[in-house]
Amino acid sequence: MNINYISKLSSNHPIIILCDKPEDAQKILSLSKKEITYLKTKKGSCQLMKEGVSIFVEVVEKKDQAHLTSEAWRKQAAKTINALNSDKAVEAELISTSKGKDSLLNYLEGTLLANYQFAKYFTDKKRAHTLNTISIVGKMDAAQEEVIRVANSTCVSRDLVNEPVSYLNAPQLSEEIKKIGKNSGFKVEVLDKKKIEALKMGGLLAVNQGSIDPPTFNILEWKPKNAKNKKPIILVGKGVVYDTGGLDIKTGGSMKTMKCDMAGAAAVVGTIDAIASNKLPVHVIGLIPATDNRPGKNAYAAGDVIKMHNGKTVEVLNTDAEGRMILADALSYAQKYKPELVIDLATLTGAAVRAIGTHGVVAMGTADEKTVAKLKTSGNETYERIAEMPFWDEYGEQLKSTVADITNLGGPTAGAITAGKFLQHFTDYPWIHLDIAGPSFLDKAEAYRTVGGTGVGVRLLYHFIKTNYTK
Ligand code: BES
Ligand code: ZN
Ligand code: ZN
């Protein structure tokens, strides 16, 4: 979507006016007494027609917490963007009279995210969104440019999630990451199967055994000269490009959406893309182990004992608990960087979805309370909210094995937490695990979070890293 800047309204296109109260629209347009009276009867957003031009008067009730007002602006934008696309509008003009300092920024963000569509495979081009330009009355400023770049990176992440495995297998994911890195300026190194074998990444190799495509291990790095941190921040993303469950194959329709099982990887790519394109002074590294999980060839099987990258042994009790197998190798690889903080993102468990649904991110880990509190603040600001789980030692007892160091399967309860406890065995640094299985992929749009991949994690982690590690 193009964002233009204009000095005044042309009135050739639909007009969007952001207002603190409906009658403020008269500051922008000459309105009749009747129209003003009409606007005064309205409390919220409403629509007018003037000489054949639709006018969207956008009003959001001020909430008692600023981040709730911000979210209301994003959601209002989504409503209007959907209406404009239904009307087949190509361009709209936007002007703000709102005194709220971030109304326009939030509205712009909602606009860009709501207008996203994965149209690559439509042959009927009439299905594609028509709206392609928003002309804003005023001057471009740095804050708006930043919002635009972060929204673009969120859409980069969505595109990766929405690509089916027929296109996006593990080697192709690496190709895409290289293209994205070239564009925004971060470095990409792709380790192939030989190197993965040399590194003894037993978890990644085991999950890959049933596949005809080789695995990849992707290392992304943004290290500007002016980086404020000495020790890097590391982001690790689950890159299961498709999860059939493997020999413990998924049944009952639960496989349908499993192209989304690399949403953690996509969030890492999107976040580093956003950081690089905004040139944040921070050293970040992304680690993405990638493979599909299939029952073919010499697929790994329940009962197998796998030696992992850090030398620990794992008894496989369910091949569908593959995410933790590949993440474990990436988390232990991260140790060599002596990181300040490691955050992993993964569509790891159905249990996380059952616990909180699509409205937030399940979090746990070993980072101190202050760091977690900061992440929660970023969660509220970006409305990618954090639900912290307990992480007591007792949960780890469910992973005991009679033949290996640990099993890859917990008990019947607290499945999201036992998955986290498994990962903890491969960390030796402050760490936060984010289970994004719920919010990463939607069967139906929720306001500006469009159907399919949502890009969850990108706005959250961009905000968190910018706020806490660039000063
Ligand atoms: N990729 C799934 C988790 C998932 C579920 C992601 C729903 C998105 C939506 C993961 O690999 C998986 O299959 N987890 C199993 C673990 C179990 C076998 C311990 C699960 O949650 O059922
Ligand atoms: Zn699985
Ligand atoms: Zn999975």
Side-chain angles (χ1 to χ4, degrees), residues 29-270:
L29 301 170
S30 56
L31 298 174
S32 69
K33 268 201 178 132
K34 246 187 172 169
E35 286 164 330
I36 296 169
T37 313
Y38 166 77
L39 288 175
K40 281 186 173 161
T41 66
K42 294 280 166 190
K43 283 214 178 64
S45 302
C46 52
Q47 218 179 319
L48 295 174
M49 274 299 251
K50 257 186 110 54
E51 293 159 11
V53 175
S54 320
I55 318 280
F56 293 85
V57 178
E58 307 285 66
V59 182
V60 153
E61 195 194 335
K62 198 163 179 253
K63 307 283 194 322
D64 52 2
Q65 287 176 290
H67 74 265
L68 298 177
T69 313
S70 301
E71 178 66 1
W73 279 115
R74 292 184 202 105
K75 284 191 168 152
Q76 183 56 39
K79 259 194 196 156
T80 297
I81 294 313
N82 291 340
L84 287 166
N85 277 308
S86 306
D87 292 352
K88 302 282 172 216
V90 175
E91 184 172 341
E93 298 180 2
L94 171 61
I95 185 163
S96 178
T97 69
S98 170
K99 298 214 170 54
K101 134 171 150 331
D102 293 335
S103 320
L104 179 58
L105 288 179
N106 289 308
Y107 195 90
L108 180 59
E109 185 169 56
T111 296
L112 294 162
L113 294 173
N115 201 46
Y116 171 85
Q117 189 184 33
F118 187 65
K120 179 177 169 187
Y121 295 103
F122 291 164
T123 56
D124 177 3
K125 292 300 168 200
K126 286 201 285 295
R127 288 180 64 194
H129 286 169
T130 50
L131 189 68
N132 64 32
T133 303
I134 299 287
S135 297
I136 302 178
V137 177
K139 284 212 182 75
M140 144 137 59
D141 66 34
Q144 286 181 32
E145 281 186 297
E146 182 180 27
V147 163
I148 294 167
R149 285 194 286 255
V150 176
N152 281 342
S153 298
T154 307
C155 295
V156 162
S157 175
R158 288 177 177 182
D159 274 344
L160 289 173
V161 175
N162 288 331
E163 275 293 356
V165 67
S166 56
Y167 174 79
L168 198 78
N169 60 7
Q172 189 59 36
L173 174 61
S174 298
E175 289 308 308
E176 301 295 323
I177 297 172
K178 282 191 212 159
K179 276 190 240 168
I180 296 162
K182 227 180 215 149
N183 191 40
S184 60
F186 63 85
K187 212 178 92 185
V188 181
E189 187 187 357
V190 179
L191 308 186
D192 62 9
K193 187 171 177 187
K194 269 204 182 120
K195 292 202 181 113
I196 294 167
E197 283 167 347
L199 286 165
K200 303 193 165 129
M201 291 186 166
L204 178 54
L205 290 163
V207 174
N208 182 252
Q209 273 173 215
S211 174
I212 57 165
D213 298 319
T216 63
F217 189 86
N218 307 276
I219 305 171
L220 294 63
E221 185 167 32
W222 170 249
K223 191 181 186 182
K225 289 209 174 75
N226 60 351
K228 292 286 189 314
N229 54 333
K230 292 231 160 57
K231 303 198 282 177
I233 309 291
I234 300 190
L235 305 178
V236 176
K238 172 177 172 181
V240 172
V241 289
Y242 196 79
D243 185 9
T244 69
L247 287 173
D248 287 297
I249 199 155
K250 288 188 182 292
T251 54
S254 63
M255 204 192 293
K256 272 200 302 251
T257 58
M258 282 301 137
K259 68 174 184 180
C260 83
D261 215 17
M262 35 58 72
V268 170
V269 177

